[in-house]
Each structure stands twice: as C-alpha cells, then as structure tokens.
Amino acid sequence: MVATSPVASATDAGTAPSRGSVRRPAGALRRRRILGLVALVLLLGLAVAASVAIGAKAIPPAAVWDALVSPSGTEDDIVVWSLRVPRTLLGVLVGAALGLAGALIQGYTRNPLADPGLLGVNAGAAFLAVCAISLLGVTSLLGYLWFAFVGALAAGVVVYLLGSTGRGGPTPVTLALAGAAVSTLLHALTQAVLLRDLRALEAYRFWVVGALAGRDAQVAAHVVGFIVAGAVLALVTAPALNAVSLGDDVARGLGQSVRRARVLGIVAVTLLAGGATAACGPIAFVGLVVPHVVRAFTGPDYRWLLPCAALSGAVLLLAADVVGRIVVRPSELPVGVVLALLGGPLFIALVRRRRMVAL
C-alpha cells in the first residue's frame, strides 16, 4: 500500500463536500492505477517476447523457446542470445530511463512540453561524441559512448548553473531558457565540427538517428549503473516532486526544500537521459509523450506516475523497435525514425485533449 501524505491526499481526492464523496473517487482512482500498472506489466512482457521472437532472420517460436531454455549452440541460439536478448534488455533499460526522465523534467519545470533534451543532454552528448571522433580518432561505439555520457553530464551541469544565477535560484523559466541557450550553442558547435570532417559526419549519422541495432551487452553494461542510480534517485524524490509540482511557495509551506528537490531531480534526469542517449543516441518523443499518456490513469501523484512512466517508456521503445524490424524486412528502420513517425501524430492528439497535458 502506498503511504499517504497531505500533498498526495489533496492531489488524489481533491476537495469534496462530504466524507463519503471523497472515498468513492479516491477508491476508483486507486483501482484505475492498479489496473493500469498491471496492464503495463503485461504489455511489457508481450513486448519483450515480441522483441526476442521477431527479427531479420525468421526463427520459429519453438526454436526461440528452445534457444532460451536449452541452448545447444545452433545458429538460432547464437542469434537469440548474442543479438536479440541484449538488444531487448537495452531497449527496456533505455525506454524506462527516457520515460522516467521525461516525467521528472516535466514535473520539476512544470512544463508539459519539456523533455530530457531541455537540459541540453542530447546536445552535450552529440558535441563531445563528435569531438572524440574528429579530434581523437575514436571510431568504435564503445569508444565514444563514454564521451557522449560525459558531454551529457557536463551540459546538464552547465544548464543548472546558468539557471541558478540570480537571487531566486533555479526556477522552471530560468532552467528552460538556459537549456535552450546551451543546446543552441552546442548544436552550432557540433555542426561546425561536422562540416570540417566527413569521417566524423559518417559516424555521427549512425549515432544521431537513435537505434538499438548494433548495440551488444557491453553497451548495456557500461550504462546500467548510471541508469539504475538515476532511477533510484527519481523514485526516492517522488514525494518531494509532488510538493514542488504544486508551486514553490506551497512546497516550502509543506516543509520541502525546493532547491534540494530540484537539484536531486536534475541529477536524476541527467543520469537517466545521459546514459540512454550515450548508449543509443538521441531518441525523441519517449520522454515527451509517455508522461502525458500515463497521467491519464495515474493522475498527478508522482509516486504512481514515475514507475508507470518507466514501464510505459520500455513498452513504447520495444514496440517501436519491433515495428521497425517488420515494416521493411529483411532490412529495418531505426527505432528513432519509427518513433519520430509515430510520435508526432500521437502527441498532436494528446495536446488536443488539454486535460492530459495539464500539470
């Protein structure tokens, strides 16, 4: 059972004239949340199964099952264990990270159009990855993965420091303005490097499109620690985020340290989005769309919204990856392209339903 607090109670039940009228809506909301959580777990199981079973090479379901439970070293076993299973695990990890990061950044900035890229994470990762390729001659994915991650972290720190200048400290407006400025600058610098180095451009084109293909278990192993740390930090700060989402003055009145909560939230977003972007490139729309979809059945309580956003992000990313493998078989579309094609119309539909984007 989820513990209640004054903030959560006000968020869940609202104000009602009688005791009985509060209990009925609160009970219905709890049932809807539980059903939504169970549905997401089931959908994730189906997405994982589809990701392992479907690929460029047609493998019968029975052969996939045998490869999972009793591998014997056949070609099908190698495909399943060396390609599809690591790719699926990385998809779950990255999708959950982007869903969590999107919910966090929208909550801390109180901006329904915010996504993890607002903090300059994508631009910082791209710039340092391009510099590693062009200036240091790094060509392998594992080689510039670390540069991309450091670039994402550095961009997040710079955005926070710039957004913290002034007497009021970091606010949703100053963070958004600082993120836009830093992202624009880093994007311009990235383009300047690419125009001078065709080799860097070729490697950058492979990374920037956003894909799970070509990533093995080593890639997931390099970023899993940072993503898990960010996820734990995000879930721990959920009660504080409930207060901050009501406004800085209200949060202070409830005894929360707004600055501390926002710092921890930015750190969590940077770890989550930085790890995901470094591993797979900038993948759009997951962090933007998922929180709005989940909020439709969880309500604004971040103790429910965050875990459901993580599950939904994993489901969406895996489903898009499976679609990309099917539509142009035997080739495939990168998951970033599929999400760009599907995410635009979906987000337009969500925006037209104003209650789903209200924070």
Side-chain angles (χ1 to χ4, degrees), residues 287-305:
L288 180 62
V289 172
V290 161
H292 294 286
V293 175
V294 171
R295 198 175 285 111
F297 64 86
T298 64
D301 189 346
Y302 282 89
R303 297 170 304 167
W304 288 88
L305 177 59

Side-chain angles (χ1 to χ4, degrees), residues 8-24:
S9 299
T11 302
D12 291 349
T15 302
S18 68
R19 187 176 179 182
S21 62
V22 173
R23 286 183 176 177
R24 284 193 295 271

Side-chain angles (χ1 to χ4, degrees), residues 73-115:
T74 64
E75 182 181 352
D76 291 345
D77 296 347
I78 295 173
V79 169
V80 169
W81 278 106
S82 64
L83 297 177
R84 295 187 185 177
V85 170
R87 180 172 179 170
T88 301
L89 294 177
L90 183 62
V92 172
L93 194 67
V94 170
L98 292 175
L100 264 177
L104 285 172
I105 195 62
Q106 288 181 11
Y108 279 111
T109 63
R110 300 199 296 277
N111 182 357
L113 297 179
D115 70 351

Side-chain angles (χ1 to χ4, degrees), residues 252-276:
R252 293 189 185 97
L254 293 169
Q256 293 289 344
S257 173
V258 175
R259 181 183 291 270
R260 177 177 177 273
R262 196 161 277 138
V263 168
L264 293 177
I266 298 303
V267 170
V269 171
T270 305
L271 289 173
L272 291 166

Side-chain angles (χ1 to χ4, degrees), residues 1-94:
M1 181 178 295
V2 180
T4 55
S5 67
V7 176
S9 299
T11 302
D12 291 349
T15 302
S18 68
R19 187 176 179 182
S21 62
V22 173
R23 286 183 176 177
R24 284 193 295 271
L29 179 59
R30 181 176 294 273
R31 286 194 297 272
R32 194 168 69 219
R33 288 167 171 171
I34 293 174
L35 289 176
L37 187 62
V38 171
L40 287 174
V41 172
L42 294 177
L43 287 174
L44 181 58
L46 292 175
V48 168
S51 180
V52 174
I54 298 173
K57 175 179 172 56
I59 302 177
V64 174
W65 177 256
D66 290 339
L68 291 174
V69 298
S70 57
S72 56
T74 64
E75 182 181 352
D76 291 345
D77 296 347
I78 295 173
V79 169
V80 169
W81 278 106
S82 64
L83 297 177
R84 295 187 185 177
V85 170
R87 180 172 179 170
T88 301
L89 294 177
L90 183 62
V92 172
L93 194 67
V94 170

